[in-house]
Amino acid sequence: EQLSFPGSAEFARVVLLLVEALAQQPPLILSQHQAVTQELLPALVSAALSEPDASSSSSTSAAAPPGSAPAGAGGSQRYVCLKAVGDIVAVLMADKSLYDPAAQTGGRSTKAAHAAALTKQLHELLVRQLLPKMHLLLADRDPVPQASIRLARVVMTHNPAFAVILHRLNLTSRLVACLAPSSPHLSAHSVNLIRCIVHGSDLDFEHLYEVGLAGRLAGAGGPIPHPP
């Protein structure tokens, strides 16, 4: 929601700074994981996806240098929110007492039931809201695509089964194309994401070859740019 009161721009800037700071505090994220999962993460995803993409932005906006947030509150908001989501999701998914795809909601263990509920919330946020918008995020201004790729890599690192989700969303070929030497999205994050996809469970390797994985890997044999 756009703020429109005296000092609103400064208020929005401070909020983004607070979001960045919070996302860098794993102990706080874990101690407040219910509020983070139920309230903060959905709000961050909504804020990132509600912002107009690059195609609807002003044509006079200057392109941001690689590794930095675009100028202006808009592009900065999307980047900061996506990066914060990636940081927070990484902390939650790394804690097996909170994130466990094998946990049963109706299990006898209270801890298992709690993990199952949180895992379900994360999956619904990713599968229903965020990942279906990856095509738009990858087409946005830098560094939004890198933040999106990093988020997908974080998810795939902790749950390789998401390779099937990416395939169903027709994202595999788009992500493999990021390995092209001429792609602005070629980075350690994109390489590691494809590595996770290759090792993903129940994935059709024939499809990976059909979208040119072998050629992309051969072409990306040089130095890989290190992302921010």
Side-chain angles (χ1 to χ4, degrees), residues 7-227:
S8 59
E10 178 64 15
F11 177 80
R13 187 184 70 83
V14 172
V15 169
L16 291 180
L17 291 175
L18 289 174
V19 167
E20 285 185 298
L22 174 61
Q24 298 299 319
Q25 300 296 324
L28 182 59
I29 293 172
L30 294 176
S31 66
Q32 302 296 322
H33 61 270
Q34 286 185 301
V36 168
T37 306
Q38 296 173 8
E39 300 179 29
L40 182 58
L41 276 179
L44 290 175
V45 170
S46 177
L49 298 182
S50 65
E51 181 195 339
D53 58 25
S55 61
S56 60
S57 301
S58 172
S59 59
T60 59
S61 298
S68 64
S76 178
Q77 172 180 302
R78 172 166 284 181
Y79 170 70
V80 170
C81 289
L82 285 175
K83 185 176 184 301
V85 170
D87 292 337
I88 294 171
V89 167
V91 173
L92 294 175
M93 295 184 79
D95 191 320
K96 300 307 178 186
S97 67
L98 297 178
Y99 180 79
D100 183 3
Q104 299 295 323
T105 305
R108 295 182 179 179
S109 169
T110 302
K111 290 184 177 180
H114 183 66
L118 187 138
T119 300
K120 181 181 178 181
Q121 291 172 351
L122 282 179
H123 285 180
E124 289 181 348
L125 188 71
L126 292 168
V127 175
R128 296 184 180 182
Q129 298 185 45
L130 197 51
L131 292 181
K133 299 294 185 181
M134 276 285 289
H135 287 286
L136 293 176
L137 297 175
L138 291 172
D140 209 333
R141 297 173 296 173
D142 287 333
V144 169
Q146 279 298 333
S148 306
I149 291 171
R150 174 179 175 271
L151 174 58
R153 190 267 302 167
V154 165
V155 173
M156 282 293 304
T157 298
H158 294 287
N159 190 346
F162 267 85
V164 176
I165 304 297
L166 296 177
H167 175 64
R168 290 175 180 173
L169 292 172
N170 296 317
L171 283 165
T172 308
S173 59
R174 185 73 176 272
L175 294 171
V176 168
C178 293
L179 296 183
S182 59
S183 172
H185 308 324
L186 176 61
S187 68
H189 287 319
S190 57
V191 172
N192 285 326
L193 172 57
I194 297 303
R195 177 178 178 273
C196 291
I197 291 176
V198 169
H199 291 286
S201 60
D202 301 324
L203 194 65
D204 184 0
F205 281 90
E206 183 177 351
H207 173 71
L208 291 176
Y209 283 101
E210 288 177 353
V211 298
L213 176 61
R216 298 302 188 191
L217 289 176
I224 303 300
H226 186 73

